[in-house]
Amino acid sequence: MHINITTSETGNNKGSSSRLVAYLEKENRMAEVLDKHYQPEYWFNHERDNIQPYEVRSGIDNNVAKLSKDDAKFFLVNISPSEKELLYLKEKFGKEGAKGYLKAYANEVMNAYAKNFKRDRVAGNQDLVYYAKLENNRYYTHKDLEVRKGKASRGDVKPGEQMHVQVIVSRKDASNTIKLSPLNNSKGTNAEHSKIVGQFDRVAFKQSAEQIFDRMFNYEREVKESFGYANAMKNGSYEQKAEFREKQRVQESGNLFQQSHSKGILDVLLDGAAKNYGPPTVDDGRRRKKKRRPGQGYDRGQQLSR
């Protein structure tokens, strides 16, 4: 699970959200050209799943009380399951079902987002102003290596499972009185100061989002695909890396044990036979005779009589 928080994919979050909203409508525009019967992907949040683009712009742009022109007005939360996670959802719920459950998951992620601020009047996603958009594909840009090498064109659909959710969330809470910045991880000089300026633990948020996915869908996550493992390998100490490698080893050993016990007796015997004897050899008639060692080929009496 990849969770990323940025200022905006269009590079500016200090003005109107109109440019970002239009950018995230690109898939609907492209699909409408190809298929007149295409059903658009509407915006959604914890209250509705049929929100129009103009409502998104109005909701974000009018929730900016006491923010200066140089203040961030909104942030973009990118929720991108891995290909393995997406295949798991589609196998479990079907293609259309997976979409619905991914939207429900995104709302739960935003619930965790709100709680991560640890502010008295921000207890859940109902205290946020946010709008989410499910996208079925990703598209090549000029930054991609395939485009620079001429193997793909800008705007082409990327292969594989690419379904993800983009969330525009206001800098201000739903009451339009509290500033909330997920890019502020300062803990302040003391606990009281932290309550005033706010803080956001991005590591804890990403771990929480991962745990929500696993609980919601009974997903058995491998150690090596967890955020904790990736973070330790990239930023952790030697001891932390060793700890996660040991967890991975124990998990893989357990998986092998389960696989061996899930096989029938015939499978086990056949596996053992293959390991003991290996593939059959071909007799091409050119096998060499073994040299006879002293005494070899005589019976015991002949050896004693010599």
Side-chain angles (χ1 to χ4, degrees), residues 9 27 29 41 43 55 70 77 79-80 97 110 129 150 174 176 211-212 214-215 220 242 247 272 275-276 292 305:
E9 282 197 7
E27 192 165 89
R29 291 194 300 271
E41 291 288 351
W43 294 78
E55 295 179 272
D70 294 324
V77 182
I79 303 172
S80 298
M110 295 311 294
V129 175
N176 208 358
Q211 291 165 3
I212 291 170
D214 297 349
R215 286 198 307 270
E220 296 182 6
K247 288 181 179 180
K275 291 178 181 177
N276 289 334
R292 191 167 60 189
S305 64

PDB file of all heavy atoms in Angstrom, residues 9 27 29 41 43 55 70 77 79-80 97 110 129 150 174 176 211-212 214-215 220 242 247 272 275-276 292 305:
ATOM      1  N   GLU A   9      -0.799  17.774  -7.551  1.00  0.00           N
ATOM      2  CA  GLU A   9      -0.186  17.240  -8.769  1.00  0.00           C
ATOM      3  C   GLU A   9       0.007  18.330  -9.812  1.00  0.00           C
ATOM      4  O   GLU A   9       0.790  18.170 -10.741  1.00  0.00           O
ATOM      5  CB  GLU A   9      -1.037  16.104  -9.343  1.00  0.00           C
ATOM      6  CG  GLU A   9      -0.865  14.789  -8.602  1.00  0.00           C
ATOM      7  CD  GLU A   9      -1.361  13.606  -9.400  1.00  0.00           C
ATOM      8  OE1 GLU A   9      -1.725  13.793 -10.582  1.00  0.00           O
ATOM      9  OE2 GLU A   9      -1.390  12.506  -8.842  1.00  0.00           O
ATOM     10  N   GLU A  27      -9.735  11.457 -16.770  1.00  0.00           N
ATOM     11  CA  GLU A  27     -10.146  10.107 -17.157  1.00  0.00           C
ATOM     12  C   GLU A  27     -11.588  10.096 -17.647  1.00  0.00           C
ATOM     13  O   GLU A  27     -11.919   9.405 -18.619  1.00  0.00           O
ATOM     14  CB  GLU A  27      -9.971   9.152 -15.984  1.00  0.00           C
ATOM     15  CG  GLU A  27     -10.091   7.692 -16.377  1.00  0.00           C
ATOM     16  CD  GLU A  27      -9.563   6.768 -15.289  1.00  0.00           C
ATOM     17  OE1 GLU A  27     -10.352   6.379 -14.408  1.00  0.00           O
ATOM     18  OE2 GLU A  27      -8.361   6.437 -15.329  1.00  0.00           O
ATOM     19  N   ARG A  29     -13.096  12.633 -19.094  1.00  0.00           N
ATOM     20  CA  ARG A  29     -13.108  13.293 -20.397  1.00  0.00           C
ATOM     21  C   ARG A  29     -12.631  12.350 -21.496  1.00  0.00           C
ATOM     22  O   ARG A  29     -13.226  12.279 -22.585  1.00  0.00           O
ATOM     23  CB  ARG A  29     -12.236  14.545 -20.370  1.00  0.00           C
ATOM     24  CG  ARG A  29     -12.779  15.677 -19.509  1.00  0.00           C
ATOM     25  CD  ARG A  29     -12.058  16.980 -19.795  1.00  0.00           C
ATOM     26  NE  ARG A  29     -10.622  16.879 -19.539  1.00  0.00           N
ATOM     27  CZ  ARG A  29     -10.061  17.126 -18.355  1.00  0.00           C
ATOM     28  NH1 ARG A  29     -10.821  17.479 -17.319  1.00  0.00           N
ATOM     29  NH2 ARG A  29      -8.752  17.037 -18.197  1.00  0.00           N
ATOM     30  N   GLU A  41     -16.922   8.437 -13.309  1.00  0.00           N
ATOM     31  CA  GLU A  41     -16.589   8.212 -11.904  1.00  0.00           C
ATOM     32  C   GLU A  41     -16.826   9.522 -11.159  1.00  0.00           C
ATOM     33  O   GLU A  41     -16.123  10.505 -11.379  1.00  0.00           O
ATOM     34  CB  GLU A  41     -15.123   7.779 -11.756  1.00  0.00           C
ATOM     35  CG  GLU A  41     -14.807   6.399 -12.290  1.00  0.00           C
ATOM     36  CD  GLU A  41     -15.372   5.282 -11.424  1.00  0.00           C
ATOM     37  OE1 GLU A  41     -15.861   5.578 -10.315  1.00  0.00           O
ATOM     38  OE2 GLU A  41     -15.317   4.123 -11.863  1.00  0.00           O
ATOM     39  N   TRP A  43     -17.133  12.104  -7.836  1.00  0.00           N
ATOM     40  CA  TRP A  43     -16.394  12.354  -6.614  1.00  0.00           C
ATOM     41  C   TRP A  43     -17.219  11.822  -5.439  1.00  0.00           C
ATOM     42  O   TRP A  43     -18.446  11.706  -5.526  1.00  0.00           O
ATOM     43  CB  TRP A  43     -16.160  13.856  -6.445  1.00  0.00           C
ATOM     44  CG  TRP A  43     -15.250  14.442  -7.497  1.00  0.00           C
ATOM     45  CD1 TRP A  43     -15.579  14.763  -8.775  1.00  0.00           C
ATOM     46  CD2 TRP A  43     -13.866  14.764  -7.343  1.00  0.00           C
ATOM     47  NE1 TRP A  43     -14.494  15.270  -9.435  1.00  0.00           N
ATOM     48  CE2 TRP A  43     -13.430  15.280  -8.586  1.00  0.00           C
ATOM     49  CE3 TRP A  43     -12.967  14.685  -6.288  1.00  0.00           C
ATOM     50  CZ2 TRP A  43     -12.118  15.713  -8.790  1.00  0.00           C
ATOM     51  CZ3 TRP A  43     -11.665  15.107  -6.485  1.00  0.00           C
ATOM     52  CH2 TRP A  43     -11.246  15.614  -7.718  1.00  0.00           C
ATOM     53  N   GLU A  55     -19.017  21.180  -7.244  1.00  0.00           N
ATOM     54  CA  GLU A  55     -19.213  21.124  -5.799  1.00  0.00           C
ATOM     55  C   GLU A  55     -17.877  20.963  -5.080  1.00  0.00           C
ATOM     56  O   GLU A  55     -17.689  21.484  -3.974  1.00  0.00           O
ATOM     57  CB  GLU A  55     -20.136  19.967  -5.435  1.00  0.00           C
ATOM     58  CG  GLU A  55     -21.560  20.097  -5.958  1.00  0.00           C
ATOM     59  CD  GLU A  55     -22.398  18.902  -5.588  1.00  0.00           C
ATOM     60  OE1 GLU A  55     -22.417  17.915  -6.348  1.00  0.00           O
ATOM     61  OE2 GLU A  55     -23.049  18.949  -4.505  1.00  0.00           O
ATOM     62  N   ASP A  70      -0.402  33.315   0.735  1.00  0.00           N
ATOM     63  CA  ASP A  70       0.761  32.434   0.669  1.00  0.00           C
ATOM     64  C   ASP A  70       0.582  31.136   1.459  1.00  0.00           C
ATOM     65  O   ASP A  70       1.487  30.301   1.493  1.00  0.00           O
ATOM     66  CB  ASP A  70       2.002  33.177   1.198  1.00  0.00           C
ATOM     67  CG  ASP A  70       2.401  34.344   0.305  1.00  0.00           C
ATOM     68  OD1 ASP A  70       2.254  34.208  -0.922  1.00  0.00           O
ATOM     69  OD2 ASP A  70       2.848  35.371   0.841  1.00  0.00           O
ATOM     70  N   VAL A  77      -4.003  13.712  -1.130  1.00  0.00           N
ATOM     71  CA  VAL A  77      -3.644  12.414  -0.543  1.00  0.00           C
ATOM     72  C   VAL A  77      -3.816  11.347  -1.617  1.00  0.00           C
ATOM     73  O   VAL A  77      -4.923  11.162  -2.143  1.00  0.00           O
ATOM     74  CB  VAL A  77      -4.525  12.079   0.680  1.00  0.00           C
ATOM     75  CG1 VAL A  77      -4.092  10.748   1.288  1.00  0.00           C
ATOM     76  CG2 VAL A  77      -4.443  13.197   1.718  1.00  0.00           C
ATOM     77  N   ILE A  79      -3.857   7.496  -2.547  1.00  0.00           N
ATOM     78  CA  ILE A  79      -4.030   6.165  -1.948  1.00  0.00           C
ATOM     79  C   ILE A  79      -3.900   5.131  -3.065  1.00  0.00           C
ATOM     80  O   ILE A  79      -4.813   4.975  -3.881  1.00  0.00           O
ATOM     81  CB  ILE A  79      -5.406   6.043  -1.261  1.00  0.00           C
ATOM     82  CG1 ILE A  79      -5.567   7.144  -0.204  1.00  0.00           C
ATOM     83  CG2 ILE A  79      -5.580   4.672  -0.633  1.00  0.00           C
ATOM     84  CD1 ILE A  79      -6.954   7.236   0.386  1.00  0.00           C
ATOM     85  N   SER A  80      -2.767   4.449  -3.105  1.00  0.00           N
ATOM     86  CA  SER A  80      -2.466   3.544  -4.216  1.00  0.00           C
ATOM     87  C   SER A  80      -2.153   2.135  -3.717  1.00  0.00           C
ATOM     88  O   SER A  80      -1.027   1.858  -3.292  1.00  0.00           O
ATOM     89  CB  SER A  80      -1.278   4.077  -5.029  1.00  0.00           C
ATOM     90  OG  SER A  80      -1.574   5.332  -5.588  1.00  0.00           O
ATOM     91  N   GLY A  97     -17.235  -4.583  -7.611  1.00  0.00           N
ATOM     92  CA  GLY A  97     -17.243  -4.640  -6.153  1.00  0.00           C
ATOM     93  C   GLY A  97     -15.977  -4.074  -5.554  1.00  0.00           C
ATOM     94  O   GLY A  97     -16.019  -3.392  -4.523  1.00  0.00           O
ATOM     95  N   MET A 110      -9.242   8.465   5.462  1.00  0.00           N
ATOM     96  CA  MET A 110      -9.419   9.864   5.835  1.00  0.00           C
ATOM     97  C   MET A 110      -9.891   9.998   7.279  1.00  0.00           C
ATOM     98  O   MET A 110      -9.646  11.031   7.926  1.00  0.00           O
ATOM     99  CB  MET A 110     -10.393  10.546   4.870  1.00  0.00           C
ATOM    100  CG  MET A 110      -9.877  10.636   3.441  1.00  0.00           C
ATOM    101  SD  MET A 110      -8.182  11.276   3.311  1.00  0.00           S
ATOM    102  CE  MET A 110      -8.396  12.965   3.886  1.00  0.00           C
ATOM    103  N   VAL A 129     -13.099  18.596   5.442  1.00  0.00           N
ATOM    104  CA  VAL A 129     -13.689  18.916   4.143  1.00  0.00           C
ATOM    105  C   VAL A 129     -12.798  18.248   3.107  1.00  0.00           C
ATOM    106  O   VAL A 129     -11.679  18.682   2.867  1.00  0.00           O
ATOM    107  CB  VAL A 129     -13.760  20.444   3.902  1.00  0.00           C
ATOM    108  CG1 VAL A 129     -14.265  20.737   2.494  1.00  0.00           C
ATOM    109  CG2 VAL A 129     -14.652  21.108   4.938  1.00  0.00           C
ATOM    110  N   GLY A 150      11.360   6.565 -25.830  1.00  0.00           N
ATOM    111  CA  GLY A 150      10.547   6.372 -27.018  1.00  0.00           C
ATOM    112  C   GLY A 150       9.751   5.082 -27.035  1.00  0.00           C
ATOM    113  O   GLY A 150       9.176   4.709 -28.065  1.00  0.00           O
ATOM    114  N   ALA A 174     -13.789  21.218   9.083  1.00  0.00           N
ATOM    115  CA  ALA A 174     -15.157  21.457   8.616  1.00  0.00           C
ATOM    116  C   ALA A 174     -15.791  22.701   9.228  1.00  0.00           C
ATOM    117  O   ALA A 174     -16.705  23.291   8.643  1.00  0.00           O
ATOM    118  CB  ALA A 174     -16.030  20.237   8.903  1.00  0.00           C
ATOM    119  N   ASN A 176     -14.187  25.401   9.610  1.00  0.00           N
ATOM    120  CA  ASN A 176     -13.454  26.510   8.984  1.00  0.00           C
ATOM    121  C   ASN A 176     -12.722  27.368  10.013  1.00  0.00           C
ATOM    122  O   ASN A 176     -12.498  28.565   9.805  1.00  0.00           O
ATOM    123  CB  ASN A 176     -14.411  27.385   8.169  1.00  0.00           C
ATOM    124  CG  ASN A 176     -13.708  28.086   7.008  1.00  0.00           C
ATOM    125  OD1 ASN A 176     -12.494  27.943   6.828  1.00  0.00           O
ATOM    126  ND2 ASN A 176     -14.451  28.859   6.240  1.00  0.00           N
ATOM    127  N   GLN A 211      -2.848  -1.060   8.141  1.00  0.00           N
ATOM    128  CA  GLN A 211      -3.543  -1.941   9.080  1.00  0.00           C
ATOM    129  C   GLN A 211      -5.048  -1.943   8.830  1.00  0.00           C
ATOM    130  O   GLN A 211      -5.712  -2.978   8.981  1.00  0.00           O
ATOM    131  CB  GLN A 211      -3.235  -1.507  10.512  1.00  0.00           C
ATOM    132  CG  GLN A 211      -1.789  -1.748  10.927  1.00  0.00           C
ATOM    133  CD  GLN A 211      -1.394  -1.000  12.190  1.00  0.00           C
ATOM    134  OE1 GLN A 211      -2.222  -0.337  12.808  1.00  0.00           O
ATOM    135  NE2 GLN A 211      -0.132  -1.100  12.566  1.00  0.00           N
ATOM    136  N   ILE A 212      -5.595  -0.789   8.442  1.00  0.00           N
ATOM    137  CA  ILE A 212      -7.025  -0.705   8.129  1.00  0.00           C
ATOM    138  C   ILE A 212      -7.356  -1.606   6.940  1.00  0.00           C
ATOM    139  O   ILE A 212      -8.351  -2.331   6.945  1.00  0.00           O
ATOM    140  CB  ILE A 212      -7.428   0.755   7.831  1.00  0.00           C
ATOM    141  CG1 ILE A 212      -7.355   1.594   9.106  1.00  0.00           C
ATOM    142  CG2 ILE A 212      -8.846   0.821   7.242  1.00  0.00           C
ATOM    143  CD1 ILE A 212      -7.505   3.080   8.864  1.00  0.00           C
ATOM    144  N   ASP A 214      -5.762  -4.280   5.934  1.00  0.00           N
ATOM    145  CA  ASP A 214      -5.643  -5.688   6.335  1.00  0.00           C
ATOM    146  C   ASP A 214      -6.851  -6.144   7.146  1.00  0.00           C
ATOM    147  O   ASP A 214      -7.356  -7.260   6.971  1.00  0.00           O
ATOM    148  CB  ASP A 214      -4.355  -5.897   7.129  1.00  0.00           C
ATOM    149  CG  ASP A 214      -3.107  -5.608   6.297  1.00  0.00           C
ATOM    150  OD1 ASP A 214      -3.234  -5.450   5.069  1.00  0.00           O
ATOM    151  OD2 ASP A 214      -2.004  -5.534   6.880  1.00  0.00           O
ATOM    152  N   ARG A 215      -7.332  -5.283   8.047  1.00  0.00           N
ATOM    153  CA  ARG A 215      -8.488  -5.635   8.883  1.00  0.00           C
ATOM    154  C   ARG A 215      -9.776  -5.675   8.065  1.00  0.00           C
ATOM    155  O   ARG A 215     -10.590  -6.581   8.219  1.00  0.00           O
ATOM    156  CB  ARG A 215      -8.642  -4.649  10.042  1.00  0.00           C
ATOM    157  CG  ARG A 215      -7.624  -4.807  11.158  1.00  0.00           C
ATOM    158  CD  ARG A 215      -8.116  -4.104  12.415  1.00  0.00           C
ATOM    159  NE  ARG A 215      -8.475  -2.717  12.192  1.00  0.00           N
ATOM    160  CZ  ARG A 215      -7.645  -1.692  12.306  1.00  0.00           C
ATOM    161  NH1 ARG A 215      -6.377  -1.912  12.654  1.00  0.00           N
ATOM    162  NH2 ARG A 215      -8.048  -0.450  12.104  1.00  0.00           N
ATOM    163  N   GLU A 220      -3.747 -11.028   4.405  1.00  0.00           N
ATOM    164  CA  GLU A 220      -2.570 -11.527   5.116  1.00  0.00           C
ATOM    165  C   GLU A 220      -1.316 -10.950   4.460  1.00  0.00           C
ATOM    166  O   GLU A 220      -0.849 -11.449   3.440  1.00  0.00           O
ATOM    167  CB  GLU A 220      -2.546 -13.059   5.101  1.00  0.00           C
ATOM    168  CG  GLU A 220      -3.724 -13.679   5.851  1.00  0.00           C
ATOM    169  CD  GLU A 220      -3.655 -15.185   5.878  1.00  0.00           C
ATOM    170  OE1 GLU A 220      -2.638 -15.749   5.414  1.00  0.00           O
ATOM    171  OE2 GLU A 220      -4.613 -15.811   6.378  1.00  0.00           O
ATOM    172  N   ALA A 242      17.892  -5.716  10.739  1.00  0.00           N
ATOM    173  CA  ALA A 242      18.087  -7.122  11.118  1.00  0.00           C
ATOM    174  C   ALA A 242      16.793  -7.701  11.699  1.00  0.00           C
ATOM    175  O   ALA A 242      16.445  -8.860  11.446  1.00  0.00           O
ATOM    176  CB  ALA A 242      19.222  -7.230  12.130  1.00  0.00           C
ATOM    177  N   LYS A 247      12.063 -11.300  10.932  1.00  0.00           N
ATOM    178  CA  LYS A 247      10.614 -11.491  10.827  1.00  0.00           C
ATOM    179  C   LYS A 247      10.248 -12.101   9.475  1.00  0.00           C
ATOM    180  O   LYS A 247       9.383 -12.984   9.387  1.00  0.00           O
ATOM    181  CB  LYS A 247       9.889 -10.147  10.999  1.00  0.00           C
ATOM    182  CG  LYS A 247       9.888  -9.602  12.415  1.00  0.00           C
ATOM    183  CD  LYS A 247       9.126  -8.287  12.474  1.00  0.00           C
ATOM    184  CE  LYS A 247       9.098  -7.727  13.895  1.00  0.00           C
ATOM    185  NZ  LYS A 247       8.367  -6.435  13.970  1.00  0.00           N
ATOM    186  N   GLY A 272       9.742 -36.639  -2.673  1.00  0.00           N
ATOM    187  CA  GLY A 272      10.930 -37.284  -2.129  1.00  0.00           C
ATOM    188  C   GLY A 272      11.621 -38.148  -3.160  1.00  0.00           C
ATOM    189  O   GLY A 272      12.856 -38.167  -3.264  1.00  0.00           O
ATOM    190  N   LYS A 275      13.594 -35.985  -5.534  1.00  0.00           N
ATOM    191  CA  LYS A 275      14.819 -35.451  -4.947  1.00  0.00           C
ATOM    192  C   LYS A 275      15.891 -36.531  -4.796  1.00  0.00           C
ATOM    193  O   LYS A 275      17.069 -36.299  -4.964  1.00  0.00           O
ATOM    194  CB  LYS A 275      14.509 -34.827  -3.585  1.00  0.00           C
ATOM    195  CG  LYS A 275      13.690 -33.554  -3.672  1.00  0.00           C
ATOM    196  CD  LYS A 275      13.370 -33.013  -2.301  1.00  0.00           C
ATOM    197  CE  LYS A 275      12.524 -31.753  -2.400  1.00  0.00           C
ATOM    198  NZ  LYS A 275      12.146 -31.248  -1.065  1.00  0.00           N
ATOM    199  N   ASN A 276      15.451 -37.768  -4.458  1.00  0.00           N
ATOM    200  CA  ASN A 276      16.405 -38.851  -4.215  1.00  0.00           C
ATOM    201  C   ASN A 276      17.017 -39.392  -5.491  1.00  0.00           C
ATOM    202  O   ASN A 276      18.204 -39.723  -5.545  1.00  0.00           O
ATOM    203  CB  ASN A 276      15.719 -40.001  -3.467  1.00  0.00           C
ATOM    204  CG  ASN A 276      15.405 -39.641  -2.028  1.00  0.00           C
ATOM    205  OD1 ASN A 276      16.084 -38.794  -1.451  1.00  0.00           O
ATOM    206  ND2 ASN A 276      14.386 -40.272  -1.457  1.00  0.00           N
ATOM    207  N   ARG A 292      39.324 -51.994 -11.273  1.00  0.00           N
ATOM    208  CA  ARG A 292      39.179 -52.906 -10.155  1.00  0.00           C
ATOM    209  C   ARG A 292      40.277 -52.683  -9.157  1.00  0.00           C
ATOM    210  O   ARG A 292      41.462 -52.654  -9.501  1.00  0.00           O
ATOM    211  CB  ARG A 292      39.215 -54.345 -10.657  1.00  0.00           C
ATOM    212  CG  ARG A 292      38.815 -55.358  -9.610  1.00  0.00           C
ATOM    213  CD  ARG A 292      38.557 -56.691 -10.217  1.00  0.00           C
ATOM    214  NE  ARG A 292      39.732 -57.191 -10.898  1.00  0.00           N
ATOM    215  CZ  ARG A 292      39.732 -58.276 -11.684  1.00  0.00           C
ATOM    216  NH1 ARG A 292      38.611 -58.919 -11.900  1.00  0.00           N
ATOM    217  NH2 ARG A 292      40.837 -58.671 -12.270  1.00  0.00           N
ATOM    218  N   SER A 305      43.832 -66.931   0.585  1.00  0.00           N
ATOM    219  CA  SER A 305      44.792 -67.911   0.116  1.00  0.00           C
ATOM    220  C   SER A 305      45.986 -67.296  -0.557  1.00  0.00           C
ATOM    221  O   SER A 305      47.000 -67.943  -0.778  1.00  0.00           O
ATOM    222  CB  SER A 305      44.100 -68.871  -0.858  1.00  0.00           C
ATOM    223  OG  SER A 305      43.662 -68.172  -1.997  1.00  0.00           O
TER     224      SER A 305
END
